[in-house]
C-alpha cells in the first residue's frame, strides 16, 4: 500500500496525566499533564518529525490530549484540530477510583473486557463504535497527508482492536505510545506499533 496516495494516521496517546500518576480514572476532562507528561509529548513530537511529515494534528477535546497535541504541533507550525468523538471512555461510577478497583467489580470479566460496562459508563465496544467513524472521517479528509491523532488509552485500545481485527492480544498504549495505521481509498492496514518504527521510512 506504500504509494504516493497512501496516508498514515499517527495515533498517539497523551503524555502522563495527573490521573495516570496517581493511577486513578480521571473524574474530569480538565485533568492536566504532569511535567513528565510534557517531556513525553515533546519527545514523541521529536520522533514523529524525524520519521514522518505530518500535515495535520487532530486531538480529543480533553485537556491532557490538547496539551500533548499542542506540544507536538507547535514545532511543526500546525494548529490543533479538535474531534469530540476522540474523547476518552466514560468510566461512569468509576471516575476518580483507582485503576485496580475494576478487578473488584463482580461484573468485570478480563477475558471479555470489551463487554464490561462500568455503571453509568461505556463499554470498550461502544468506544470503538464511536471512535472508528471519527477516524475514518479524519483519514478521508486527510487523503495522503500524514496525520497525528492524539487521544487516550481506551480510544487507542479500541482502534488497535478494530484495525487488527481482534480484541485478543491488544494492550493499552503507554503514555505517548504511538500506533501507525496506513490507509488508501478507505482501506486500512493492520496497526504498526512503536517498536516497529525502524521498519518505517519517511515518505
Amino acid at each position: 500500500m506504500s504509494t504516493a496516495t497512501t496516508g498514515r494516521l499517527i495515533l498517539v496517546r497523551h503524555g502522563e496525566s495527573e490521573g495516570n500518576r496517581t493511577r486513578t480514572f480521571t473524574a474530569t476532562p480538565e485533568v492536566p499533564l504532569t511535567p513528565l507528561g510534557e517531556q513525553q509529548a515533546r519527545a514523541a513530537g521529536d520522533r514523529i518529525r524525524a520519521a514522518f511529515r505530518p500535515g495535520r494534528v487532530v486531538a480529543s477535546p480533553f485537556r491532557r490530549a490538547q496539551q500533548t497535541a499542542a506540544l507536538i504541533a507547535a514545532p511543526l507550525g500546525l494548529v490543533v484540530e479538535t474531534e469530540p468523538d476522540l474523547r476518552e471512555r466514560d468510566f461512569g461510577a468509576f471516575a476518580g477510583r483507582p485503576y485496580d478497583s475494576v478487578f473488584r467489580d463482580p461484573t468485570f470479566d478480563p477475558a471479555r473486557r470489551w463487554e464490561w460496562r462500568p455503571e453509568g459508563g461505556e463499554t470498550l465496544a461502544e468506544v470503538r463504535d464511536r471512535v472508528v467513524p471519527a477516524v475514518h472521517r479524519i483519514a478521508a479528509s486527510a487523503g495522503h497527508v500524514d496525520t497525528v491523532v492524539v487521544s487516550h488509552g481506551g480510544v487507542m485500545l479500541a482502534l488497535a482492536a478494530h484495525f487488527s481485527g481482534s480484541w485478543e492480544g491488544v494492550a493499552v498504549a503507554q503514555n505517548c505510545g504511538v500506533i501507525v495505521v496506513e490507509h488508501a481509498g478507505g482501506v486500512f492496514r493492520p496497526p504498526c506499533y512503536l517498536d516497529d518504527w525502524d521498519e518505517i521510512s519517511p515518505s
Side-chain angles (χ1 to χ4, degrees):
M1 189 185 284
S2 296
T3 70
T5 59
T6 300
R8 289 180 291 198
L9 299 176
I10 305 158
L11 309 178
V12 184
R13 186 184 177 192
H14 62 79
E16 182 191 69
S17 70
E18 290 293 345
N20 298 144
R21 185 180 60 80
T22 60
R23 298 193 60 76
T24 57
F25 296 113
T26 53
T28 167
E30 293 304 313
V31 171
L33 295 180
T34 63
L36 174 59
E38 294 176 359
Q39 294 175 17
Q40 292 170 332
R42 291 189 183 96
D46 290 343
R47 194 165 189 184
I48 288 167
R49 290 194 305 278
F52 303 99
R53 295 189 178 89
R56 296 177 69 193
V57 178
V58 185
S60 154
F62 286 14
R63 184 177 178 186
R64 55 196 184 272
Q66 288 283 317
Q67 288 178 306
T68 301
L71 289 168
I72 293 172
L76 293 165
L78 299 174
V79 175
V80 177
E81 304 171 41
T82 300
E83 170 50 66
D85 284 339
L86 292 176
R87 66 188 179 277
E88 179 58 300
R89 177 185 186 180
D90 184 347
F91 278 94
F94 280 78
R97 295 186 189 178
Y99 291 161
D100 60 10
S101 63
V102 167
F103 302 108
R104 296 192 291 275
D105 186 322
T107 68
F108 178 75
D109 178 0
R112 306 285 297 179
R113 56 183 173 166
W114 57 92
E115 296 177 350
W116 175 68
R117 182 191 305 281
E119 181 184 350
E122 293 177 289
T123 67
L124 278 170
E126 288 171 334
V127 173
R128 175 200 59 202
D129 293 343
R130 164 165 56 82
V131 302
V132 167
V135 167
H136 277 255
R137 291 195 302 271
I138 292 167
S141 62
H144 66 276
V145 175
D146 288 345
T147 301
V148 178
V149 180
V150 183
S151 62
H152 305 268
V155 171
M156 297 267 288
L157 184 68
L159 289 172
H162 173 73
F163 289 123
S164 65
S166 174
W167 289 98
E168 304 296 336
V170 295
V172 176
Q174 63 186 350
N175 289 119
C176 280
V178 175
I179 298 173
V180 180
V181 180
E182 289 189 340
H183 63 92
V187 177
F188 294 78
R189 292 192 65 182
C192 179
Y193 293 81
L194 179 66
D195 291 344
D196 302 319
W197 274 29
D198 56 357
E199 300 175 7
I200 302 174
S201 59
S203 62

